[in-house]
Amino acid sequence: GAGVSQSPRYKVTKRGQDVALRCDPISGHVSLYWYRQALGQGPEFLTYFNYEAQQDKSGLPNDRFSAERPEGSISTLTIQRTEQRDSAMYRCASSLLAQASDTQYFGPGTRLTVL
Amino acid sequence: AQSVTQLDSQVPVFEEAPVELRCNYSSSVSVYLFWYVQYPNQGLQLLLKYLSGSTLVESINGFEAEFNKSQTSFHLRKPSVHISDTAEYFCAVRDTGRRALTFGSGTRLQVQP
């Protein structure tokens, strides 16, 4: 079956612009996660959803970052007024169940470059 | 806060040699432990995980990792590596009461002929 997909795969934007990154999880997966990965580092947690409810947004760096999953499937991570420090790989993952032991399956990521 | 340390950023090794990739974590609470692999130009894939039970877990392609609670470690080993094992390997930890994964900074395994 299809895995987690993300679009766009690459996004180049100018400082100050807003960007929206999309994640399409594996069909039927309850939980959806967003991570950010800087060059040479491991992914860092941003936020996660169970169905449409945002359960934990403690990793969002500031109020320019927001995420939604209105119908409990596709999710959008929005960054307003982008800054150069926002440049990173943004990774989405989904898991079948809402359990801490469940495996997270990752998408290919969106590489964001802010000029 | 949980932290994960992968001391080796790069590990060069010859084909058919053994390898160990080290991972230590900070938390003393109950945890789940994972190794993810990222092959060139691909996304993160789960390699193996420890949830409970036997402290030695194995993957389908010959890797194994051992959970050592007293040393808070979860080192990854393979007795004989292939060229195709060239990839970046990430250790990750999750507190059993939380959903977020905490990742290490990764170890790049470079297998040479």
Side-chain angles (χ1 to χ4, degrees):
Chain A
V4 178
S5 61
Q6 293 184 245
S7 60
R9 292 292 308 276
Y10 302 90
K11 177 69 177 179
V12 180
T13 190
K14 292 183 179 179
R15 184 165 53 91
Q17 297 294 307
D18 298 350
V19 295
L21 311 181
R22 173 185 165 127
C23 173
D24 201 342
I26 295 172
S27 178
H29 277 202
V30 168
S31 298
L32 185 147
Y33 307 80
W34 283 100
Y35 291 83
R36 178 172 69 171
Q37 185 175 8
L39 207 58
Q41 298 297 317
E44 287 185 304
F45 171 77
L46 295 176
T47 185
Y48 91 91
F49 296 80
N50 283 342
Y51 300 102
E52 72 283 357
Q54 192 170 19
Q55 299 291 333
D56 182 351
K57 53 182 181 179
S58 62
L60 296 176
N62 52 60
D63 60 7
R64 294 187 297 107
F65 287 72
S66 63
E68 63 175 8
R69 194 186 184 199
E71 297 179 359
S73 179
I74 293 168
S75 176
T76 302
L77 177 70
T78 301
I79 309 172
Q80 296 179 315
R81 305 180 304 281
T82 52
E83 301 177 5
Q84 287 185 329
R85 60 179 172 157
D86 299 333
S87 296
M89 177 72 83
Y90 288 82
R91 296 193 183 276
C92 174
S94 69
S95 65
L96 178 60
L97 303 172
Q99 295 178 0
S101 60
D102 208 26
T103 296
Q104 294 181 17
Y105 296 89
F106 282 81
T110 294
R111 169 76 66 190
L112 175 65
T113 302
V114 183
L115 302 176
Chain B
Q2 181 70 265
S3 67
V4 178
T5 302
Q6 292 182 249
L7 284 174
D8 305 306
S9 60
Q10 293 189 62
V11 174
V13 63
F14 288 107
E15 194 173 18
E16 298 183 3
V19 70
E20 178 180 80
L21 307 184
R22 295 179 292 169
C23 172
N24 288 87
Y25 62 96
S26 63
S27 176
S28 61
V29 301
S30 184
V31 296
Y32 299 127
L33 297 157
F34 305 81
W35 276 98
Y36 279 83
V37 59
Q38 183 174 9
Y39 298 103
N41 300 316
Q42 295 187 29
L44 288 166
Q45 302 174 31
L46 180 69
L47 185 61
L48 48 75
K49 63 182 178 181
Y50 169 78
L51 302 180
S52 65
S54 173
T55 57
L56 185 67
V57 290
E58 299 178 351
S59 72
I60 58 172
N61 58 350
F63 283 93
E64 64 179 30
E66 186 160 19
F67 168 52
N68 188 318
K69 187 174 182 179
S70 63
Q71 297 187 6
T72 59
S73 69
F74 191 54
H75 301 329
L76 182 70
R77 303 183 182 94
K78 189 171 185 179
S80 176
V81 294
H82 291 248
I83 295 285
S84 59
D85 293 324
T86 294
E88 187 149 23
Y89 293 79
F90 293 92
C91 180
V93 174
R94 181 196 275 156
D95 293 344
T96 57
R98 292 201 67 211
R99 304 297 302 282
L101 285 168
T102 300
F103 284 86
S105 55
T107 297
R108 187 171 299 277
L109 177 64
Q110 183 69 44
V111 182
Q112 303 165 359

